Amino acid sequence: AACVDLTDILAGMRRGVAFTGAGISTECGIPDFRSPGGLWTRNRPIDFEAFLTSREMRNEAWRRRFAMEAAFGGATPGRGHRALARLLEEGRLAGIVTQNIDGLHQASGVPDDRLVELHGNSTYATCLDCGERYELGWVRERFETRAQTAPDCLDCAGPIKTATVSFGQPMPGEAMTRAGELTAACDVFLAIGSSLVVWPAAGFPVQAKRNGARLVIINREPTEFDDMADLVIHADIGDVFEAATGP
Ligand code: OAD
Ligand code: ZN
């Protein structure tokens, strides 16, 4: 019955926003953060301060990044990504706001001007001091040939970090602005595959509801905002979208 409701909501949606978390990528083989077996159940996050102040933490961050690349670098979009790309193409969604850094929305054909990456992107790196861009292949080569030591910027010797947002690191201003604009203008806000515990990202569903949008939450586990939502579906994201919009 819940899927009938979702079908109706999607059929009437004109300026929707999909807000995605790691749960949309688990069927692609990439673990989420907080489920059993999730990344933060295995490794403590390296916060921004630790990255900046400790060479050993920078080395560890890069070791983890290359291990992720080896394990999940070949992942391809799943049913959730494909359904959202289709809804965008049909003009029902105005944009996708993601907390994910895995690049799978882009891989499903979503253009950059419709995608907001709140927590950045792990497919390239930048110097934190001067902003110079570095490709992962370049970082990896240096890392491996220097006994797993993270390289520093060639121009200014600053620390090189993936273009992701760590805990304690300032949020990207332009992404926050664009996400706020999409949220303010949306008629339906679909929160998909996120535990909704990380702020300020988790503020967007609240903002959408306050602005009068219909709030839909699709997540295997309950979230703190379920009470506020117009429709809550506790089921597998791929199954939900396959039932609502096809494979
Ligand atoms: P979480 O791991 O916190 O939450 C993912 C949610 O998706 C969980 O509640 C799962 O139950 C649910 N889930 C997993 N697979 C699913 C599936 N196939 N179908 C339905 N639900 C499923 O991940 P996020 O909410 O994305 O940020 O985490 C938010 C932020 O915390 C991340 O962007 C990252 C992390 O720390 C930073 O590192 C700054
Ligand atoms: Zn630099």
Side-chain angles (χ1 to χ4, degrees), residues 127 130 153 156:
C127 167
C130 77
C153 179
C156 79

Side-chain angles (χ1 to χ4, degrees), residues 22 26 33-34 40 119 167 194-195 219-221 236-237:
T26 54
F33 295 95
R34 295 175 181 80
W40 296 159
H119 293 164
F167 288 113
S194 176
S195 58
N219 202 59
R220 212 146 52 192
E221 305 292 322
D236 179 78
I237 293 158

Side-chain angles (χ1 to χ4, degrees), residues 11 14 30-31 36 46 55 59 74 108 125 129 136 171 212 227:
R14 294 289 175 269
I30 304 174
I46 296 170
R55 160 82 58 192
N59 295 344
S108 73
D129 288 347
L136 290 200
M171 293 292 287
D227 287 348

